[in-house]
Amino acid sequence: MNPCRDDSPRRRVPRAKITVPGPPSDFVSRPRLLGPLDGRGEAAIVFVGAPAGFGKTVLLADWARRRGRDAVAWLSADADDNDDRLFWAAVLESLGRCGPVPDGSSLRQLEVPGEPSTDLAFLARVADALDALPEPVVLILDGAQEITAPGPWHGLRELVRHQPAGLCLAVTSRREPPLPLGRARLADRLVEVGAEQLRFSTEEAKALLATARATVPPDEVGPLVARTGGWPAGLRLAAASAVRHGSLRDFDTGRDTAVLDYLTDEVLAPLTPVQRELLRTISICDEVPAGLAPVLCGRADAEATLRELGEPATRVVESGGSPPHHSVTPLLRTYLRADLQRRAPDRSRTLHATAARWFAGHDRPAPALLHSVRSGNPARVGELLRENAVPLFLAGEHHVLRLALTVLENRRVTADPLAALISAALCLEAAETSAAGLQLARAEVAWPDRPTAELTVLRQLAYSRLTRLDRTPVQAVRAAEQVDERLAAEAGLGDLATLHRTAVLLAPHDRAAARAELVRVLDTAERRDEDFTVAQCLTTLGELAGYDGDYRVMETLARRAEARRARQDHFRSLQGAEACALLAYGALLRGQPADALTHAKRIGQLVGDAPARAAQDLRLVAETLRGAAEFELGGWHAGLRRMRRARIRLGTGRACPAGHAALCAVLEQRAALRLGAASQAREAVRWAHPILAGSGELLLMRARTQLRLGRHHAASSVLRSLTEDGPPMALPWATIEASLVGVQAALAAGARERAVRLLDEALRVAEPTGVRFPFVFAPPELVGFLTSRLGGLGTGERFAGEILALRRRLRTPPMPAPLTERERSVLRLLPTQRSIDEIAEDLTVSPNTVKTHVRGIYTKLDVRSRREAVAIAQERGLLDAEVADFTT
């Protein structure tokens, strides 16, 4: 007799097979997925279905632990479960270990017959035993795709058909199991969690990276989620790679062998050799249009195979779009492409050359040029550039153009004037004026004796754009007037010349005429799918709307421009920065400082440290808007310090556009006066005065100053001159601010009727434009007056309610009492360790006066010692250096 033979009705089941797995080291709980599971109600089946690596097991194990390990029966499926008796022995053993199953339950003693799944009496006894339980149990069948035999599934279907009240069956699988899901779905007794729900959000990815102690900058998390498609396994691999290598460089370039091993073992291993080879072949393309795959791999059944690879069980290929195309999922594509390049570089180049010919033959110049670059054929790159450089530039395919131009430069191909001009245009779009000048010089060296109209106009436009970015507005206008519009029309560049001229002459030109021209160019560019031109038109139209005070339209146009630019590359872009500036400006005026802060940060990323005058102007606007947003979110000192640094960085003798100067001065002075930083408020006004001479903004700032000094009648007098004389204002919303300053002055003077009239006027002007900023962040006395007027505002009632509701939602902390100028002087000397007497001597006041100021400082900073005062002052930016890095 064989002692190892087990003839007992219930086979022994390994403990690990029926034990809820522990959490991984980088575990992140996901409440948004657990909620539907906890609220399953009368659901008979829970199905969590997705390909490998989507965290199906992790999710249900977390759910099981939350319910209590003893309240859940767990079964990890494997190949042994294709044996019907072994499967049911494991099911009964798992149920028997479950807490709600009493000791006397038949589930603990039930014998397993020879063919349990077809033994209706056995299945009925199991169902009756489940019905008799004092409380329901959840049976979790994990990894159900391992069960391929029909027997176990037949038995489970019969069990579910009886719908025992004491059982909820939860299944995880890479493919839909052969269970009556359709009937359960129709009866509303099915809870489903699919791949789309299992994908990580950006916030969940941040939590995962933090748990794994992976050093990944916050602004890189969103792009990482996009590259991995939110695939949980991909993000875990990225986190592990960042921990190993200190950055995501190896992960992103396909060089991390641990990631390749995982993809090979878990994703590629279940596929057939034909499927794996097809994926490796088409991985050279980001997108594979219908018809290209058979050409690349030489197989007529390639399209059908790709459709199979897009099915839920594998889902390593995504299909769809217009025109129809296939693409390998981004992470797998990166590693397959890198592996192909390492193992078979010659084959990789051949495949790229084949793809280039196919794309060129199908009138797809951008991918044709890209694959020609990757095939290492500079002659073909040069040909495609000569044929398509200008259309590709207008379409926004700047990344491909940069790669192609780099190939020509690296191979020392003879300088071509068209290539040099396109290279200059790309440099100008990134505000790299020095590099653009060098490329223009190269174009001059190679300039032909009889240039074409296209070359001539491109050179004129390049020099004009260079002047606009790096010279004064007057010089820019003169350069724009030198562009030959007749020649531009002859070269097919008339719309580009019009767009350039309109952007340069925006301020002095009739805005209605400029708008009509831009709309015409926009319509043509949209028909031609010229993303760069479309985005430029939309941005310029947005600027026009901002000049007119139509801030809602301004934001709408800027968002459309951003959507177009998102289809282009993410290199430095002056155009993108201009659109972001409009979005940040609009968000601040809407009273949404957090949104303004997000957009303002992106401006700096898009212009970088480019030296062009236009880039410097945008950095000033970006940092001012960012500082204003920080200020209104409660970072008063840090925000005010940022605005001052931005202005100082630009330079006192450097004039910027009047609209920029007005915005920066008005916002900085407003914040400085509210915080009691009178000297900084004076600085801002002095800086702006030469640029804004004769403007309404200067009168507004003068009225604010008078109000701050307690001279209410003087403030009202200045505001009357602003209304009566009507000096021009670069900021249409500043008239709302002026009315509210008038309200404060009238209230201080006891002139309530005038205050009512001015408040009604401010609401009347603000409502159509959606400007809430001056109201939401108004001083408490003005907010109190607005609140007291509710019920008597007429048509402005709804808008006032929105303002007060927004103010409540923002919950900004109360502003601290401002330090006086003398207290600030004393505070600046506290870190020097001078004694009270020495400080008094430095400031030419008595020691008792210094002590009084020190007590005031301690009270306002809520500290008890000099050391604490210095620490808090440094934290709040009251003792910071004059100039700091813009990127902090």
Side-chain angles (χ1 to χ4, degrees):
M1 181 175 178
N2 185 352
C4 296
R5 183 175 177 181
D6 183 2
D7 291 322
S8 64
R10 293 278 287 270
R11 303 286 182 91
R12 187 176 183 280
V13 180
R15 180 176 293 272
K17 182 178 177 67
I18 54 175
T19 301
V20 178
S25 59
D26 57 359
F27 171 70
V28 172
S29 186
R30 306 172 74 187
R32 68 177 176 86
L33 298 178
L34 294 169
L37 298 178
D38 289 334
R40 61 188 171 81
E42 297 298 318
I45 303 176
V46 172
F47 174 49
V48 181
F54 269 87
K56 303 180 293 295
T57 301
V58 173
L59 173 63
L60 286 195
D62 186 26
W63 185 44
R65 288 191 296 272
R66 283 163 57 95
R67 294 177 59 86
R69 291 174 187 263
D70 293 339
V72 171
W74 183 280
L75 176 58
S76 298
D78 55 37
D80 288 345
D81 292 309
N82 288 300
D83 182 310
D84 203 20
R85 291 191 70 203
L86 290 178
F87 172 73
W88 282 102
V91 169
L92 292 175
E93 185 68 23
S94 179
L95 288 169
R97 286 164 48 91
C98 195
V101 178
D103 290 341
S105 171
S106 59
L107 291 172
R108 295 182 182 273
Q109 292 89 27
L110 195 62
E111 296 182 359
V112 180
E115 297 180 354
S117 288
T118 56
D119 191 324
L120 297 182
F122 166 74
L123 295 173
R125 285 195 292 273
V126 173
D128 290 343
L130 290 168
D131 273 330
L133 294 178
E135 59 181 283
V137 297
V138 175
L139 171 62
I140 297 178
L141 180 58
D142 183 46
Q145 73 278 348
E146 299 294 332
I147 305 176
T148 56
W153 289 116
H154 176 79
L156 282 175
R157 280 197 302 275
E158 287 297 315
L159 185 64
V160 172
R161 186 170 64 84
H162 288 299
Q163 295 185 350
L167 175 68
C168 172
L169 177 62
V171 179
T172 76
S173 178
R174 296 182 185 181
R175 61 180 66 88
E176 189 167 299
L179 292 171
L181 299 185
R183 189 167 60 206
R185 191 179 291 119
L186 187 63
D188 198 24
R189 302 200 69 200
L190 174 67
V191 173
E192 292 180 273
V193 179
E196 289 308 311
Q197 295 151 290
L198 289 166
R199 297 183 193 278
F200 268 57
S201 67
T202 300
E203 291 307 313
E204 289 170 337
K206 287 179 180 177
L208 171 67
L209 293 167
T211 303
R213 292 186 171 84
T215 305
V216 178
D219 59 346
E220 292 185 17
V221 178
L224 173 63
V225 172
R227 290 195 299 276
T228 58
W231 184 38
L235 290 166
R236 287 193 163 90
L237 291 167
S241 182
V243 170
R244 284 193 300 273
H245 304 291
S247 73
L248 290 173
R249 184 184 300 276
D250 283 11
F251 176 82
D252 288 339
T253 55
R255 293 202 299 261
D256 193 314
T257 55
V259 178
L260 180 60
D261 290 344
Y262 177 89
L263 294 173
T264 301
D265 294 342
E266 297 295 328
V267 179
L268 297 176
L271 306 181
T272 67
V274 170
Q275 290 174 326
R276 290 196 295 270
E277 183 58 27
L278 175 59
L279 289 175
R280 186 172 289 105
T281 299
I282 68 168
S283 70
I284 65 156
C285 298
D286 294 342
E287 293 182 354
V288 185
L292 175 57
V295 174
L296 288 174
C297 68
R299 294 184 62 92
D301 61 350
E303 296 285 344
T305 304
L306 288 174
R307 284 193 291 273
E308 291 174 5
L309 292 169
E311 292 176 354
T314 51
R315 200 171 293 180
V316 293
V317 169
E318 297 165 350
S319 302
S322 179
H325 64 268
H326 310 283
S327 59
V328 182
T329 52
L331 181 60
L332 181 59
R333 180 173 68 239
T334 296
Y335 276 82
L336 287 175
R337 184 183 294 172
D339 190 51
L340 178 65
Q341 180 62 35
R342 279 193 300 269
R343 294 173 181 270
D346 290 341
R347 180 165 182 255
S348 175
R349 284 191 291 271
T350 300
L351 287 171
H352 280 299
T354 302
R357 287 192 297 272
W358 190 92
F359 281 114
H362 288 76
D363 196 25
R364 300 278 300 275
L369 181 57
L370 177 63
H371 286 286
S372 293
V373 168
R374 291 175 175 170
S375 71
N377 187 344
R380 183 58 178 152
V381 169
E383 292 173 12
L384 288 170
L385 269 180
R386 283 189 290 274
E387 295 169 5
N388 303 288
V390 175
L392 288 175
F393 180 84
L394 298 179
E397 299 287 355
H398 296 179
H399 174 65
V400 176
L401 288 171
R402 288 190 188 95
L403 289 176
L405 291 166
T406 300
V407 165
L408 297 184
E409 289 182 6
N410 290 344
R411 299 296 181 91
R412 301 185 181 279
V413 176
T414 305
D416 175 85
L418 177 61
L421 289 173
I422 293 297
S423 183
L426 292 170
C427 293
L428 291 169
E429 174 55 19
E432 295 288 353
T433 48
S434 299
L438 178 62
Q439 292 299 331
L440 286 171
R442 293 184 64 189
E444 297 293 355
V445 170
W447 199 252
D449 294 333
R450 302 181 66 180
T452 63
E454 180 183 66
L455 279 179
T456 302
V457 174
L458 287 175
R459 180 169 69 168
Q460 291 173 347
L461 287 171
Y463 279 111
S464 178
R465 177 104 168 122
L466 178 62
T467 304
R468 179 191 174 196
L469 295 183
D470 227 13
R471 299 291 184 269
T472 67
V474 173
Q475 292 170 319
V477 169
R478 289 173 182 167
E481 290 171 345
Q482 293 173 4
V483 176
D484 190 328
E485 294 189 32
R486 181 193 60 77
L487 203 59
E490 178 186 327
L493 297 171
D495 286 346
L496 184 60
T498 298
L499 175 58
H500 175 74
R501 184 188 72 252
T502 305
V504 173
L505 305 179
L506 198 58
H509 259 212
D510 173 52
R511 287 177 188 162
R515 188 176 290 107
E517 285 279 280
L518 286 167
V519 169
R520 181 187 62 77
V521 175
L522 173 63
D523 182 60
T524 303
E526 285 183 321
R527 287 200 307 273
R528 296 174 179 169
D529 209 23
E530 295 176 348
D531 281 353
F532 175 78
T533 308
V534 168
Q536 189 68 64
C537 286
L538 291 169
T539 302
T540 309
L541 284 167
E543 291 175 2
L544 275 172
Y547 288 144
D548 291 339
D550 200 343
Y551 300 114
R552 286 192 171 105
V553 171
M554 177 188 78
E555 281 196 273
T556 299
L557 292 167
R559 280 192 289 270
R560 287 177 59 192
E562 272 288 273
R564 281 287 181 160
R565 205 187 68 79
R567 294 162 52 174
Q568 306 166 30
D569 70 78
H570 291 74
F571 197 74
R572 286 182 180 175
S573 168
L574 202 62
Q575 176 199 88
E578 289 166 346
C580 278
L582 296 179
L583 291 171
Y585 184 27
L588 186 68
L589 292 183
R590 277 190 289 109
Q592 298 289 352
D595 290 349
L597 189 62
T598 299
H599 292 303
K601 287 179 179 178
R602 291 193 59 233
I603 301 171
Q605 296 167 1
L606 288 167
V607 295
D609 56 356
R613 182 190 189 99
Q616 294 174 21
D617 292 340
L618 272 175
R619 281 196 291 269
L620 170 67
V621 171
E623 290 299 290
T624 300
L625 290 171
R626 186 174 172 181
E630 288 173 344
F631 185 92
E632 303 303 353
L633 289 169
W636 306 290
H637 300 288
L640 193 57
R641 183 175 72 249
R642 185 179 294 278
M643 288 189 269
R644 183 169 187 265
R645 289 203 318 253
R647 173 171 46 79
I648 290 173
R649 178 66 63 88
L650 187 71
T652 54
R654 158 84 158 76
C656 67
H660 292 182
L663 177 64
C664 296
V666 165
L667 290 177
E668 185 181 357
Q669 191 226 20
R670 182 181 191 274
L673 289 177
R674 287 183 64 198
L675 204 56
S679 62
Q680 183 170 341
R682 287 193 295 271
E683 278 182 27
V685 176
R686 281 198 299 268
W687 168 77
H689 196 281
I691 309 171
L692 301 179
S695 73
E697 282 80 9
L698 282 180
L699 290 178
L700 167 61
M701 290 189 285
R702 188 184 304 165
R704 280 180 181 162
T705 302
Q706 296 298 325
L707 183 64
R708 183 67 183 175
L709 293 172
R711 301 169 183 168
H712 315 304
H713 294 294
S716 296
S717 176
V718 172
L719 291 171
R720 275 196 300 273
S721 66
L722 175 59
T723 304
E724 294 167 2
D725 298 340
M729 297 190 86
L731 309 173
W733 68 269
T735 60
I736 302 168
E737 176 80 1
S739 294
L740 294 182
V741 172
V743 171
Q744 293 175 260
L747 289 174
R752 184 176 176 83
E753 288 187 9
R754 188 167 81 243
V756 168
R757 177 172 51 79
L758 288 170
L759 179 62
D760 289 348
E761 175 65 15
L763 289 169
R764 184 188 66 77
V765 175
E767 184 171 12
T769 63
V771 174
R772 297 176 177 84
F773 169 74
F775 300 92
V776 173
F777 302 108
E781 63 271 18
L782 201 154
V783 174
F785 181 61
L786 176 62
T787 305
S788 71
R789 290 280 297 136
L790 288 177
L793 291 170
T795 57
E797 191 77 28
R798 183 185 61 81
F799 188 60
E802 291 176 2
I803 289 167
L804 295 173
L806 177 57
R807 183 180 171 88
R808 287 192 297 272
R809 286 198 302 272
L810 289 171
R811 295 180 180 177
T812 54
M815 185 172 293
L819 298 177
T820 66
E821 285 299 303
R822 184 59 77 179
E823 286 170 343
R824 287 173 176 270
S825 298
V826 172
L827 178 62
R828 281 191 287 269
L829 293 173
L830 291 184
T832 64
Q833 300 301 315
R834 286 182 172 86
S835 67
I836 294 295
D837 291 340
E838 290 170 330
I839 291 175
E841 185 177 348
D842 284 350
L843 298 178
T844 63
V845 296
S846 72
N848 284 337
T849 300
V850 173
K851 289 177 183 178
T852 300
H853 292 321
V854 169
R855 284 195 295 274
I857 292 169
Y858 287 4
T859 299
K860 291 176 180 178
L861 298 184
D862 193 23
V863 297
R864 296 183 179 180
S865 68
R866 177 185 282 206
R867 181 186 297 245
E868 287 182 309
V870 170
I872 292 295
Q874 287 174 334
E875 179 184 325
R876 294 185 181 177
L878 299 175
L879 293 174
D880 204 38
E882 294 289 324
V883 179
D885 191 347
F886 271 82
T887 61
T888 59

